[in-house]
Amino acid sequence: MKDTLTDANFPRTADQRVYHLGLRPGEVANRIVTVGSPSRAKTIAKSLDAKPELFELSSERGFLTITGRYKNVPISIVSIGMGSPNMDFFIREVRESVSGDMAIVRLGSCGSLIDLPVGTIVVPQACVAVNRNFDYDFTYPENNGNEPAYRISKPVAADQELHDEVHKALEGAKPAGSKTTILAGIVNASADSFYSSQGRQTSFPDANADLIEHLKASTKDLATLEMETHHLYHLAACWDGRARVAKEAPAPLTTGPVSPVTSRQSSPQQSTTNTQVVSPHSVIRAAGAQMIFASRTSQDFITPEEVDALEHWAGKGVLDALVNLYIPAERLHANQGSV
Ligand code: R1P
Ligand code: URA
């Protein structure tokens, strides 16, 4: 971004563009599919309505946003790259660019820890985080006493209704004759590395030979490993905590920007208006669907042809889930509690 930014706390340009995604209010919808790669975003975007013309913004930091309509409902597809820091940029900057409730579904890839064939789709009901413990001495393991090499968090839940919509919509989108199994209600682990904290062996001393067995033993129903879904569920749950507080002590009347892409009647490219907002605190509803690319039991890896087919219909499935999720019109303009 070459424009001048102001406010070191939450940098934005004069026309309200956020620092890393480059978006401003009106360019991103309340309903969002987030993916890891631009090619997956573009594949899913092929299912959006032909009109109005799609809005597309590729930021200097590698975030791609495509906004349009699906079945006439405003929707965005955002490619964020990999890892929970990128998920953090995405959620925080989009939250400040959208008014009211948000619904976010991550369509990602993952590895499976249990005996499921590649190409299976899982819908995680909860996620734990697996993080490298920087206080562990990886060079001299004998120095560690009881210090664990990896930390496993408690689980955080998906939004149950959105989880169920994702499961139902994926079943509906699955082509006749497809052998893909869709498994909901599983637990996923989001790791801070594709390698060490997913139990892969590389030439670094990672003290992870037993990590997968330890993960399976310590986390009930654990089925998959990837890198972002826990942070999505975690931040959504934190934000919803704010909604619960707001219900107990109603938020004061505030004046805030209202994104024009929040109503079924408006177009994604209209300009922002300031509107008096009188409503309870907004919520962020999060769920995920993950395509198994790598089986950690059979060592199989998915083929590019299988990925193309899966991304196309699973993409349609998550779009369906998002538009089927009922969000009352007035909740699309709830107070977002802007920084
Ligand atoms: C690693 O190859 C990447 O694949 C998974 C992991 O979470 C990580 O981002 O998801 P995506 O396919 O969505 O990127
Ligand atoms: N993504 C991951 O993070 N891990 C896998 O094994 C496959 C995809």
Side-chain angles (χ1 to χ4, degrees), residues 167-279:
H167 185 199
K168 195 168 71 185
L170 285 170
E171 290 289 1
K174 186 164 92 168
S178 164
K179 292 200 181 74
T180 298
T181 304
I182 301 164
L183 195 64
I186 61 106
V187 177
N188 169 71
S190 299
D192 60 2
S193 165
F194 181 81
Y195 297 103
S196 60
S197 48
Q198 292 191 28
R200 289 188 162 93
Q201 303 307 303
T202 72
S203 35
F204 283 84
D206 287 322
N208 64 351
D210 302 328
L211 179 59
I212 289 187
E213 282 321 307
H214 177 57
L215 278 169
K216 282 161 68 173
S218 62
T219 308
K220 193 170 169 295
D221 297 329
L222 185 66
T224 54
L225 271 167
E226 49 75 75
M227 297 179 66
E228 298 83 13
T229 308
H230 175 271
H231 202 61
L232 168 62
Y233 288 11
H234 167 73
L235 282 185
C238 293
W239 187 268
D240 287 0
R242 293 180 53 157
R244 278 195 292 280
V245 171
K247 257 190 212 156
E248 282 154 28
L253 299 186
T254 57
T255 302
V258 172
S259 164
V261 294
T262 55
S263 104
R264 286 179 187 229
Q265 282 76 42
S266 58
S267 120
Q269 276 86 35
Q270 286 169 5
S271 64
T272 305
T273 53
N274 279 333
T275 304
Q276 185 80 359
V277 175
V278 186
S279 57

Side-chain angles (χ1 to χ4, degrees), residues 35-36 40 81-83 106-109 194 226-228:
V35 298
R40 191 177 304 154
M82 295 180 282
R106 172 173 137 75
L107 177 61
S109 68
F194 181 81
E226 49 75 75
M227 297 179 66
E228 298 83 13

